[in-house]
Amino acid sequence: MKKEFVVIGLGRFGGSIVNELIALKADVMAIDISPERVEEFAQIATTAVAADTTDESALRSLGIRNFEHVVVAIGENIQASILTTLILKEVGVKKITVKAQNDYHEKVLRKIGADQVVHPERDMGKRIANNMVSNNILDYLELSDEYSIVEIRANEKIAGSTLIDLDIRAKYGVNIVAIKRQTQILVSPQAIEEIELNDILIVIGSDVDIHTFERKALH
Ligand code: ATP
């Protein structure tokens, strides 16, 4: 069965989620208060509906509670974002992801039961900054305020060494959970695995430990 999702708010962020979900062959109901925005997505989304999602009866009449996962991508109007989330929670939507504008907004969203709160601009900023300070860090995914998963390119300094030689876990407190080697992915690589030049190491650990590893082992 196809997964069915709802995206509320068809700005750049919500719009890009709709496009991607459709590309991934999911069913998407796209909702916006603006008829022009809805018109834009009429040919793209599975269904596109003009509605004010702060109106509980409008949301109920769309059968919103039957959908698997709802994304609230209303940005600037924080009040509408909070009220919409509250109604979704009340009608019993299983999973709700909300875009937050700032930390206060996030705090309220978490209090009222949003399952996932995202800050696309802040998170993207962090990823880009991490790529900027280190040429070896290719990508960065924040797990919490302190922990992350990063992709680090293996350079000449570590190519030819095995994981035992490097003793990364004991020395730096980080773990290599997988290695991308051209089209191959080695999940949970063995200690005797020899790192090759340009392997991409998927490393998990605290931000401090990851940066120490990157600074000391690769330079
Ligand atoms: P982005 O950065 O993703 O472009 P944004 O943060 O600037 O978006 P807005 O443009 O403020 O966010 O809101 C996104 C969309 O949410 C808009 O298309 C807006 O019409 C829609 N929206 C705002 N309030 C409501 C509401 N009460 N019900 C449904 N949609 C709404």
Side-chain angles (χ1 to χ4, degrees):
M1 218 176 76
K2 265 188 169 184
K3 289 202 165 178
E4 296 188 314
F5 302 107
V6 177
V7 177
I8 298 172
L10 305 172
R12 283 162 302 176
F13 180 62
S16 108
I17 295 178
V18 173
N19 282 314
E20 199 61 25
L21 286 171
I22 292 292
L24 293 167
K25 311 265 179 264
D27 276 338
V28 187
M29 179 190 277
I31 306 176
D32 201 289
I33 199 168
S34 146
E36 292 81 34
R37 288 276 162 93
V38 172
E39 181 61 31
E40 249 180 73
F41 283 86
Q43 304 301 321
I44 300 166
T46 318
T47 44
V49 182
D52 178 353
T53 55
T54 61
D55 175 354
E56 181 168 347
S57 57
L59 271 187
R60 282 189 190 273
S61 69
L62 292 170
I64 205 95
R65 66 186 303 268
N66 301 317
F67 288 84
E68 196 121 348
H69 190 159
V70 178
V71 175
V72 181
I74 298 173
E76 269 158 42
N77 189 343
I78 291 181
Q79 195 175 321
S81 155
I82 292 170
L83 197 50
T84 298
T85 307
L86 200 59
I87 296 170
L88 293 171
K89 201 71 201 162
E90 268 175 16
V91 301
V93 169
K94 281 189 226 90
K95 186 153 186 211
I96 307 168
T97 295
V98 193
K99 169 182 160 167
Q101 282 296 93
N102 54 50
D103 292 344
Y104 297 111
H105 188 191
E106 169 165 7
K107 217 170 178 174
V108 176
L109 293 169
R110 293 208 183 274
K111 263 251 151 26
I112 61 176
D115 301 287
Q116 188 183 25
V117 179
V118 293
H119 296 249
E121 291 89 355
R122 189 189 71 182
D123 297 346
M124 201 58 194
K126 280 191 180 182
R127 287 171 80 163
I128 291 175
N130 272 272
N131 290 352
M132 287 165 75
V133 294
S134 164
N135 291 333
N136 294 316
I137 294 188
L138 304 175
D139 207 352
Y140 164 94
L141 176 71
E142 188 180 66
L143 297 175
S144 71
D145 284 348
E146 278 175 67
Y147 289 86
S148 305
I149 295 182
V150 298
E151 287 188 351
I152 298 180
R153 192 199 315 274
N155 61 12
E156 312 72 35
K157 182 99 187 280
I158 58 170
S161 308
T162 64
L163 297 182
I164 302 180
D165 298 335
L166 295 171
D167 201 14
I168 288 171
R169 190 179 311 164
K171 271 197 194 146
Y172 306 101
V174 300
N175 279 292
I176 295 181
V177 290
I179 298 176
K180 283 201 221 169
R181 182 170 295 154
Q182 286 152 14
T183 54
Q184 228 188 338
I185 296 197
L186 311 172
V187 179
S188 303
Q190 303 217 330
I192 52 162
E193 188 65 44
E194 192 172 296
I195 293 174
E196 295 181 7
L197 187 63
N198 293 329
D199 273 357
I200 294 170
L201 313 176
I202 317 289
V203 180
I204 187 167
S206 75
D207 294 340
V208 173
D209 291 341
I210 290 173
H211 283 291
T212 308
F213 164 61
E214 196 277 325
R215 227 178 29 249
K216 297 209 168 143
L218 288 101
H219 291 277

